[in-house]
Amino acid sequence: MSEHVHEHEHEHIHEHEHEHGHGHAHPHVHSHEHTAAVLNRLARASGHLEAVRRMVADGRDCSEVLIQLAAVRSALASTSKLILKDHMEHCIVDAIEEHDETALKELERAIDSLLK
């Protein structure tokens, strides 16, 4: 197992652990410029979903609940796009530079899952 640390102009660090030949995942720990925005969006979406749960518990109109659920879904989709953008701009750029086909396959799998 080898470990790599990458520093870039855009103020983030990647710490990769590569396991070769065993078919294991390609874990890496990193912090991107959008991490705070992603966490903020997830907190808001979580709070919004909790409000929808209370709406259902309170017997609110189904149309209102569905509209609010659509808003939560939209917020999560927007957050997913931001994470994907960060991933493409940083992790995938590194993977291409390192000829890391595992990371590219993982991206393909993640996009397939996201689009289901």
Side-chain angles (χ1 to χ4, degrees):
M1 187 180 321
S2 61
E3 194 170 302
H4 307 283
V5 175
H6 306 282
E7 295 187 37
H8 300 277
E9 297 174 27
H10 17 78
E11 300 178 14
H12 73 282
I13 296 174
H14 293 271
E15 294 179 17
H16 296 272
E17 286 186 17
H18 298 272
E19 295 194 21
H20 301 280
H22 303 291
H24 294 119
H26 177 92
H28 57 276
V29 177
H30 54 279
S31 175
H32 292 293
E33 59 197 83
H34 298 294
T35 298
V38 166
L39 291 172
N40 188 6
R41 288 177 184 211
L42 289 172
R44 278 189 277 136
S46 178
H48 198 160
L49 186 57
E50 180 59 28
V52 173
R53 190 191 69 73
R54 285 191 306 270
M55 288 174 71
V56 171
D58 293 344
R60 298 278 296 272
D61 180 70
C62 294
S63 295
E64 291 177 30
V65 170
L66 290 170
I67 290 168
Q68 294 307 311
L69 281 174
V72 171
R73 185 180 64 218
S74 177
L76 291 174
S78 172
T79 304
S80 296
K81 287 179 194 174
L82 185 58
I83 293 170
L84 179 59
K85 180 180 184 292
D86 240 3
H87 187 58
M88 299 278 293
E89 290 175 351
H90 306 295
C91 304
I92 297 305
V93 168
D94 289 347
I96 291 169
E97 288 173 356
E98 296 174 11
H99 306 289
D100 183 353
E101 292 183 29
T102 302
L104 298 176
K105 289 289 185 192
E106 289 173 2
L107 172 63
E108 182 180 334
R109 187 173 53 86
I111 290 172
D112 286 345
S113 180
L114 187 61
L115 296 178
K116 283 186 178 179

